[in-house]
Amino acid sequence: MSYDVAIIGAGPAGASAALFTAKAGKKTLVIDSDQSITKRAWVENHYGVAEITGPDLVEIGKKQAAKFGAELVQGKVVAVTKEGEGFRLETENGSYEAKHVVLATGLNAELAQQIGVNTKPGTEPRIKTVVDATPEGKTNVPGIWAAGTAAGVSVHTIITAGDGAKVAINLISELNGERYVDHDVLKA
């Protein structure tokens, strides 16, 4: 496989998942269509952040993921197909292969439905359909995970970022074959 993990979407859930998977040494690709709802947000409810624009929050998240080695690609994923022990992701500009896929597509569940991932009615205002995922982020298709608003988690950016981190930790644990913990310590 070209990548251990391909993450579709670079909003709070996707970039957070990418930050964790890349930091854990997993070859990570993030494909982003630049349509995150967070790009229209003004955020004053993040722990540790006084205030920030949505576009700045998204850009910082992408930079953090890239800092740890995630590769970011601009584009829209139009198809995901099972191929060997992983998946082929087709975009308008090319194709990529990954062992695991994380759907962090925000308000859009169309791709999930197209590739055979089970969906269910959403519970947030204006979100009609979400991915039916376990609390760990797994879907009915082995190797395809879902995080954030796409998985039915609240649209609040701090919550979706936390969900992306949670899904990434579970995915890394599966790849490693044992529970993974990411805990940095201040250096004296």
Side-chain angles (χ1 to χ4, degrees):
M1 293 284 100
S2 295
Y3 296 91
D4 295 310
V5 182
I7 299 166
I8 304 172
S16 182
L19 187 159
F20 275 83
T21 57
K23 189 174 177 217
K26 306 305 176 193
K27 191 169 181 189
T28 301
L29 171 69
V30 180
I31 304 172
D32 186 53
S33 65
D34 199 33
Q35 296 175 334
S36 173
I37 188 173
T38 305
K39 294 280 236 174
R40 298 189 315 253
W42 172 254
V43 182
E44 292 186 32
N45 61 353
H46 264 263
Y47 176 80
V49 178
E51 58 191 34
I52 190 167
T53 69
D56 286 345
L57 183 66
V58 170
E59 286 309 307
I60 290 169
K62 289 179 183 180
K63 286 178 183 174
Q64 286 177 304
K67 172 185 170 184
F68 291 110
E71 181 181 336
L72 284 84
V73 173
Q74 179 78 33
K76 181 177 181 180
V77 176
V78 295
V80 177
T81 54
K82 181 76 174 141
E83 189 166 286
E85 292 188 24
F87 300 91
R88 175 175 291 281
L89 293 86
E90 299 288 339
T91 71
E92 306 117 329
N93 305 323
S95 63
Y96 305 89
E97 294 180 3
K99 184 171 181 177
H100 292 267
V101 175
V102 176
L103 300 173
T105 53
L107 305 177
N108 190 342
E110 290 176 24
L111 181 63
Q113 292 171 322
Q114 176 191 326
I115 62 179
V117 170
N118 290 342
T119 58
K120 63 184 182 182
T123 58
E124 292 280 306
R126 299 178 302 281
I127 301 174
K128 292 182 171 57
T129 307
V130 297
V131 172
D132 188 5
T134 67
E136 296 78 25
K138 292 183 178 188
T139 72
N140 63 298
V141 179
I144 296 187
W145 304 68
T149 303
V153 173
S154 174
V155 298
H156 298 89
T157 60
I158 196 163
I159 297 170
T160 57
D163 191 62
K166 175 196 77 180
V167 170
I169 293 297
N170 290 326
L171 194 160
I172 296 162
S173 296
E174 185 168 302
L175 285 170
N176 290 352
E178 63 184 14
R179 188 69 182 156
Y180 176 78
V181 175
D182 182 324
H183 186 90
D184 296 322
V185 178
L186 285 173
K187 293 176 176 60

